[in-house]
Amino acid sequence: MKKLSLLVCSCLISALAFGQQANTGIAIIPEPVKITTHTGRYLLPKTITIQSGTQEGITPVLDLIKKRFSTATGKIINVKKTAPSAAIKLIIAKKTDAIIGKEGYYLSVKPKGITITANEPAGLYYGVQTLLQLLPKEIEGKAVAKNVKWTVPVVDITDYPRFEWRGLMFDVARHFFTKKEVMSYIDNMARYKLNLLHLHLTDDEGWRIEIKSLPKLTTVGAYNVKREGEFGNFIPPTADEPRDYGGFYTQDDIRELVKYAQERFVNIMPEVDVPGHSLAAVVSYPQLSATAGADKYVVRSGERIMDWSLPGHPALVDNTLNPAGEYTYQFLDKVIGEVAQLFPFAYMHMGGDECAKNFWEQSAEVKALMAKENLKTMEEVQSYFEKRVEKIVESKGKKFMGWDEILEGGIGPNAALMSWRGVKGGIEATQQNHDVVMSPTTFTYLDYMQSDRVMEPHVYATLRLSKTYEFEPVPEGAVAKYIKGGQANLWTEQVYNIRQAEYMTWPRGFALAESVWSPKEKKNFNTFFAKVEKHFERFNEAEIKYAPSVYDPIFKATRAADKKLNVELTTEVQGLDIYYSFDNSYPDNFYPKYTSILTVPIDATQLRVITYRGKQPVGRMVTMPIEELNKRAK
């Protein structure tokens, strides 16, 4: 009896530690507002009948069910307007339910069937995405799974988003991604109730959207020389190397992408990055530049064009538009006019970040503009530019958004701001009554390395999963009503293909999804990571790449008083053991286990480590050069 009591206590403690989903086997990301579990399971019948109305917008919901269920289960799917014994009932509420709003839903699984109720089709869609996560992982597969019992736990879920803006930014300018690849990215974000794809369409390395009135933007500006390796340090291309690497989306491609996204309840926001990051545009139309000799410029292939070591990161070539040239604004009127027609979303993002001003300082045109408009600083020059662009955007029926540099020199009257250099700019903008989307480098920059730099393509910073999970879109001091939500940003300088884009996005995209959808008080990293591991299994079935970096240990090198090199190893997740070697062999769980700080043997050249959970390896084999540890100890 005493043993039984201890066992019950142990189970209760475990349940409290790992949260509601973990102790029921349910692993839903993002965490719903409320889950009530019951005993029993519902077994899907051989023929799945769906009861559904014919309201506008319901077709994408039915398409999702048909595709996913028929692909993985092989079952026949029938849709009927009235079917009392239907396996799945999709119900649009006759009277609006204020609790769940536009995107929320109620999901009820009973022993005899499933009901999803929502105010709008979007809510039904998200309810279906949750239902898919309740099914066995094989539902994610690309072929009919054998010997799977297709059951769903009996459960009641109430769910709705915390924020309306739940975004991912995908940079298709540094490297071009095909229309089908962007569609796959949309599919994956929609699984996790992310609803805003911010497409970064133009930069120094390529102009990716057809502008019919300015054809050189794509015939010239969409292509560079292919280089592979460490972006930013490439050897400058020679004149005879072919400029055939890149591509662009035709306007028909864009219409197709927009429609595809809408069918998954995702909006696409275009970004045309000006006045900096504009080399592809300047190469196409050199009259956009305030600098003589711009007609000799070429689209960047990853060679060094800015000096990031100096304050203000001066440009080595002038990659900016001329803020004093009327042609610049005529050009932007054409670009913005055509882009606005293609994207139904209310906002257009016009960049504004990292605009080097050293060439402006040398321009007689810019100096004349400053005298004419009484502008005292280069920041005020950029503010003049941004306010004119804001008027053009508004003249096309759109709202203007820019990166947080648009605060410098004075923000435009109606501008919305995306806060990326931490949260300070976003807080300040809300205090000035401007709408804000939070996307700070501190938590949401998906181009940053996820593990130690010896394991990842080198970027200048690291952002681990646990840090992304700390993201709070409403920081202290912000006026909450102006925070529209948050997003994570995937810049692609070091991302050459869609598999690497997936690797960089997931699982940190899971953390972002939970930060912008789930109730703040329900966030718990240990509970979250238990779910992440279940979703790793689902991604294996779906053949989506993800980063296992969270299992890699964290290295801290220090120098002892006797000058010996010490190494401390820690893990990001609980319950892992670290095994190591200094003898150049590959350790397993029969090797020495890390228990305390290691002193590096005098002749060792490398430290190899691997993480295990019990008897199973979960981490990658990490080889850390002792030379690298010596550098860090200094």
Side-chain angles (χ1 to χ4, degrees):
M1 193 71 183
K2 193 172 182 181
K3 284 184 179 178
L4 182 61
S5 298
L6 287 170
L7 183 62
V8 171
C9 287
S10 172
C11 290
L12 285 171
I13 290 167
S14 175
L16 290 170
F18 290 101
Q20 186 179 24
Q21 289 199 33
N23 70 36
T24 59
I26 293 172
I28 300 169
I29 298 175
E31 178 73 27
V33 172
K34 184 182 179 183
I35 304 176
T36 305
T37 56
H38 308 283
T39 56
R41 301 185 75 84
Y42 172 59
L43 176 66
L44 290 174
K46 288 183 179 178
T47 298
I48 298 174
T49 299
I50 302 166
Q51 178 184 299
S52 170
T54 55
Q55 297 94 332
E56 187 181 352
I58 213 88
T59 302
V61 183
L62 294 171
D63 287 347
L64 176 64
I65 296 174
K66 289 174 187 175
K67 181 182 178 184
R68 298 291 293 282
F69 277 74
S70 60
T71 300
T73 71
K75 294 178 184 291
I76 297 168
I77 314 292
N78 291 326
V79 180
K80 294 183 179 180
K81 192 170 183 180
T82 305
S85 59
I88 302 171
K89 294 180 180 178
L90 302 176
I91 299 172
I92 295 288
K94 291 179 180 176
K95 185 180 178 183
T96 300
D97 187 316
I99 292 173
I100 57 173
K102 290 183 178 180
E103 296 178 293
Y105 61 91
Y106 296 108
L107 170 59
S108 180
V109 181
K110 303 298 183 191
K112 292 187 176 181
I114 299 162
T115 304
I116 304 173
T117 307
N119 293 322
E120 307 265 352
L124 293 179
Y125 186 84
Y126 294 134
V128 171
Q129 293 288 10
T130 294
L131 172 61
L132 291 167
Q133 293 187 26
L134 291 171
L135 282 156
K137 69 181 187 300
E138 288 82 4
I139 194 68
E140 309 289 351
K142 296 180 180 293
V144 174
K146 308 287 189 193
N147 304 316
V148 176
K149 196 171 183 181
W150 296 106
T151 66
V152 188
V154 176
V155 66
D156 287 297
I157 295 174
T158 300
D159 202 13
Y160 49 86
R162 186 178 168 204
F163 294 100
E164 62 175 313
W165 189 297
R166 306 182 301 277
L168 287 175
M169 190 283 295
F170 191 15
D171 169 12
V172 296
R174 269 44 183 270
H175 291 97
F176 179 65
F177 293 83
T178 67
K179 181 174 59 180
K180 282 191 175 180
E181 288 170 339
V182 176
M183 287 174 174
S184 75
Y185 202 77
I186 292 167
D187 282 334
N188 292 343
M189 62 188 287
R191 289 169 185 261
Y192 296 97
K193 305 180 178 75
L194 298 168
N195 67 349
L196 192 287
L197 177 64
H198 170 175
L199 271 187
H200 183 79
L201 289 163
T202 72
D203 217 294
D204 300 318
E205 297 76 22
W207 185 284
R208 304 298 179 205
I209 182 169
E210 178 188 25
I211 305 297
K212 291 184 183 293
S213 60
L214 296 160
K216 286 186 181 178
L217 287 172
T218 45
T219 58
V220 175
Y223 298 94
N224 59 17
V225 174
K226 185 174 184 180
R227 285 280 192 267
E228 292 177 291
E230 191 170 312
F231 185 98
N233 291 316
F234 293 151
I235 298 167
T238 58
D240 60 347
E241 287 186 83
R243 293 193 158 269
D244 55 5
Y245 178 63
F248 64 93
Y249 309 107
T250 67
Q251 294 197 357
D252 283 343
D253 288 336
I254 293 293
R255 291 184 188 98
E256 193 176 340
L257 279 172
V258 166
K259 183 174 182 290
Y260 191 88
Q262 287 175 330
E263 289 168 352
R264 286 143 186 83
F265 300 92
V266 171
N267 284 306
I268 301 182
M269 176 178 68
E271 180 187 354
V272 175
D273 199 352
V274 292
H277 288 282
S278 294
L279 187 58
V282 167
V283 170
S284 304
Y285 293 94
Q287 58 267 48
L288 288 167
S289 179
T291 299
D295 57 326
K296 304 293 192 297
Y297 287 165
V298 292
V299 178
R300 186 190 186 202
S301 301
E303 65 274 22
R304 193 163 169 260
I305 65 165
M306 300 186 76
D307 190 340
W308 295 99
S309 67
L310 295 175
H313 46 263
L316 306 177
V317 299
D318 188 1
N319 67 339
T320 67
L321 303 185
N322 179 4
E326 282 308 306
Y327 179 77
T328 296
Y329 301 102
Q330 294 163 12
F331 167 87
L332 287 173
D333 186 78
K334 291 177 182 177
V335 169
I336 293 166
E338 292 193 35
V339 173
Q341 291 294 314
L342 295 170
F343 294 90
F345 189 58
Y347 285 90
M348 276 189 67
H349 199 302
M350 298 304 300
D353 62 311
E354 297 178 333
C355 177
K357 300 175 175 69
N358 51 305
F359 283 96
W360 287 3
E361 289 168 351
Q362 300 165 34
S363 165
E365 277 187 274
V366 173
K367 288 174 184 174
L369 173 70
M370 293 177 77
K372 179 185 173 188
E373 299 291 337
N374 195 28
L375 306 174
K376 305 298 184 190
T377 66
M378 287 297 148
E379 287 69 32
E380 288 183 9
V381 172
Q382 183 170 344
S383 176
Y384 166 86
F385 171 88
E386 302 292 353
K387 287 170 183 172
R388 285 195 65 173
V389 174
E390 181 178 339
K391 286 180 181 176
I392 297 171
V393 169
E394 290 177 345
S395 76
K396 311 302 179 187
K398 299 295 182 182
K399 298 177 183 178
F400 173 96
M401 179 174 279
W403 299 109
D404 57 49
E405 282 92 337
I406 66 173
L407 274 171
E408 298 166 2
I411 188 171
N414 304 313
L417 181 133
M418 194 166 275
S419 189
W420 74 277
R421 295 177 300 177
V423 297
K424 183 174 177 288
I427 293 170
E428 185 180 333
T430 67
Q431 291 170 347
Q432 295 180 31
N433 305 330
H434 289 271
D435 286 338
V436 167
V437 174
M438 284 292 185
S439 62
T441 56
T442 330
F443 305 103
T444 68
Y445 262 46
L446 302 182
D447 57 314
Y448 285 7
M449 297 179 292
Q450 301 174 77
S451 177
D452 196 279
R453 61 177 289 166
V454 301
M455 293 298 290
E456 305 276 340
H458 181 234
V459 182
Y460 57 90
T462 299
L463 177 64
R464 286 193 169 253
L465 176 64
S466 53
K467 187 67 176 179
T468 298
Y469 195 70
E470 293 174 14
F471 176 46
E472 168 46 48
V474 185
E476 189 176 342
V479 183
K481 69 178 181 179
Y482 292 113
I483 302 286
K484 298 184 72 62
Q487 72 176 42
N489 299 332
L490 179 60
W491 303 101
T492 60
E493 287 94 336
Q494 292 285 29
V495 179
Y496 291 81
N497 57 67
I498 192 63
R499 295 295 283 175
Q500 185 66 4
E502 291 171 355
Y503 174 94
M504 298 302 283
T505 304
W506 313 108
R508 291 181 296 187
F510 300 156
L512 182 276
E514 204 141 288
S515 293
V516 293
W517 178 283
S518 305
K520 181 180 178 181
E521 63 274 10
K522 292 196 78 175
K523 287 183 66 179
N524 176 284
F525 183 74
N526 292 332
T527 304
F528 166 71
F529 188 68
K531 297 185 296 179
V532 167
E533 293 191 294
K534 295 290 186 185
H535 284 256
F536 283 168
E537 295 174 11
R538 289 178 170 270
F539 271 29
N540 288 337
E541 296 285 341
E543 300 176 1
I544 302 167
K545 194 173 184 182
Y546 58 88
S549 314
V550 68
Y551 296 117
D552 295 341
I554 300 164
F555 296 81
K556 183 182 178 184
T558 55
R559 190 72 62 188
D562 60 3
K563 305 297 184 186
K564 288 182 179 177
L565 179 63
N566 288 341
V567 185
E568 182 181 356
L569 302 174
T570 54
T571 58
E572 195 175 354
V573 297
Q574 296 178 353
L576 302 185
D577 295 317
I578 306 172
Y579 297 92
Y580 67 92
S581 74
F582 283 109
D583 61 7
N584 302 333
S585 63
Y586 293 86
D588 60 16
N589 57 320
F590 292 93
Y591 271 63
K593 182 164 80 171
Y594 177 84
T595 55
S596 60
I597 294 174
L598 302 175
T599 297
V600 177
I602 192 166
D603 290 317
T605 59
Q606 58 190 17
L607 166 63
R608 280 204 174 106
V609 300
I610 189 168
T611 54
Y612 274 68
R613 182 181 283 126
K615 293 187 176 183
Q616 295 300 315
V618 291
R620 302 177 287 190
M621 185 70 67
V622 181
T623 301
M624 173 61 73
I626 302 305
E627 182 183 3
E628 175 69 19
L629 291 173
N630 273 313
K631 288 178 188 173
R632 298 183 191 188
K634 289 177 184 177

